[in-house]
């Protein structure tokens, strides 16, 4: 199933002195304040921090869904924080995959079709998109559910389809924001293990936000957010 693991060692993501600020009345609230973070090729990092500390903001900035007020986001050597929207969209489409707490699958399409969709958008022929989607479903151990719509799938199955969709275009980096937060503990465990195995088999780099310290321990490194900075956990 692998697309070939990329060589490790070089940074695929760098956040350099990143700031993100919001106005609350007349007061400026700093979510990130000079934050620095580096993700190397093939590395998995767990982002473990309480709610309200800026986990989602950090992921949205790193994934080019928001722009930093200060500093820059460098993806695979390209400074992206202040690029035109068209270029940022192109980078997101080719280099970045995103998984959310809620699956956001398209309800009118089957599991297979949901995974085909991002591939078709990039121009991949339908037959190739279907073949890769089927491979990903098999890898996530739900190939037998390929023809089912999201409403016919369990919560764990829906999230596994969402994970497969996020990696369908073989991105460089996968961001996951509490991907098992909406699941019961047992289901969360096997969904997270499937995600971890898929990331490692594909040679992806990944940043995964989670409240679950047991799941976070499966990652190569753990970081948290403290006073607007990214801090390593030992």
């Amino acid at each position: 199933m692998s697309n070939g693991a990329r060589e490790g060692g070089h940074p695929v993501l760098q956040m350099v002195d990143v700031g993100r600020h919001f106005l609350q009345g007349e007061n400026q609230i700093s979510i990130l304040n000079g934050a620095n973070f580096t993700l190397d090729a093939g590395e998995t990092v767990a982002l473990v921090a309480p709610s309200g500390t800026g986990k989602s903001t950090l992921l949205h900035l790193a994934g080019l869904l928001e722009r930093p007020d200060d500093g820059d986001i460098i993806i695979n050597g390209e400074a992206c924080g202040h690029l035109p929207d068209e270029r940022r969209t192109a980078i997101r489409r080719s280099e970045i995959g995103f998984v959310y707490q809620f699956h956001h699958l398209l309800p009118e399409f089957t599991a297979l079709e949901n995974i085909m969709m991002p591939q078709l958008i990039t121009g991949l022929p339908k037959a190739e998109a279907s073949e890769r989607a089927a491979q990903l479903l098999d890898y996530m151990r739900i190939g037998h559910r390929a023809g089912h719509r999201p409403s016919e799938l369990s919560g764990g199955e829906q999230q596994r389809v969402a994970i497969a969709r996020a990696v369908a275009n073989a991105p460089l980096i996968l961001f996951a924001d509490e991907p098992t937060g909406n699941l019961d503990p047992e289901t969360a465990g096997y969904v997270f293990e499937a995600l971890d195995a898929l990331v490692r088999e594909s040679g992806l780099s990944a940043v995964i936000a989670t409240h679950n310290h047991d799941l976070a321990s499966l990652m190569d490194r753990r970081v948290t957010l403290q006073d607007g900075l990214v801090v390593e956990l030992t």
Side-chain angles (χ1 to χ4, degrees), residues 4-179:
R6 298 175 170 90
E7 291 184 11
H10 66 278
V12 293
L13 167 67
Q14 295 163 281
M15 302 182 73
V16 182
D17 297 329
V18 169
R20 189 74 170 104
H21 318 290
F22 299 93
L23 284 176
Q24 192 173 69
E26 297 182 355
N27 299 318
Q28 178 175 283
I29 307 297
S30 293
I31 306 298
L32 296 176
N33 194 14
N36 291 281
F37 173 70
T38 298
L39 177 71
D40 286 336
E43 183 180 38
T44 61
V45 176
L47 175 57
V48 184
S51 298
T53 54
K55 291 197 305 294
S56 294
T57 297
L58 184 145
L59 292 177
H60 288 173
L61 287 165
L64 306 186
L65 295 170
E66 296 183 26
R67 292 181 182 272
D69 296 311
D70 313 304
D72 212 341
I73 310 292
I74 300 170
I75 293 180
N76 212 23
E78 182 174 0
C80 302
H82 307 285
L83 288 174
D85 287 341
E86 184 177 356
R87 178 59 185 152
R88 286 165 58 87
T89 299
I91 293 170
R92 278 201 309 271
R93 189 173 292 158
S94 63
E95 304 285 14
I96 294 170
F98 229 110
V99 181
Y100 299 92
Q101 181 173 344
F102 299 98
H103 57 78
H104 297 300
L105 297 174
L106 298 170
E108 65 271 30
F109 295 102
T110 65
L112 187 79
E113 290 166 342
N114 265 280
I115 301 169
M116 289 174 62
M117 200 66 62
Q119 302 176 77
L120 296 175
I121 289 171
T122 63
L124 198 69
K126 188 174 181 179
E128 290 183 36
S130 177
E131 181 180 2
R132 175 153 172 79
Q135 288 176 346
L136 285 165
L137 284 171
D138 284 341
Y139 192 84
M140 299 300 284
R141 299 182 180 178
I142 48 172
H144 61 292
R145 307 292 273 166
H148 291 72
R149 288 180 169 80
S151 61
E152 301 170 311
L153 303 174
S154 69
E157 289 170 339
Q158 290 171 348
Q159 197 64 324
R160 280 185 279 175
V161 173
I163 291 166
R165 179 182 61 181
V167 302
N169 284 335
L172 185 67
I173 308 167
L174 178 70
F175 297 103
D177 194 356
E178 298 287 354

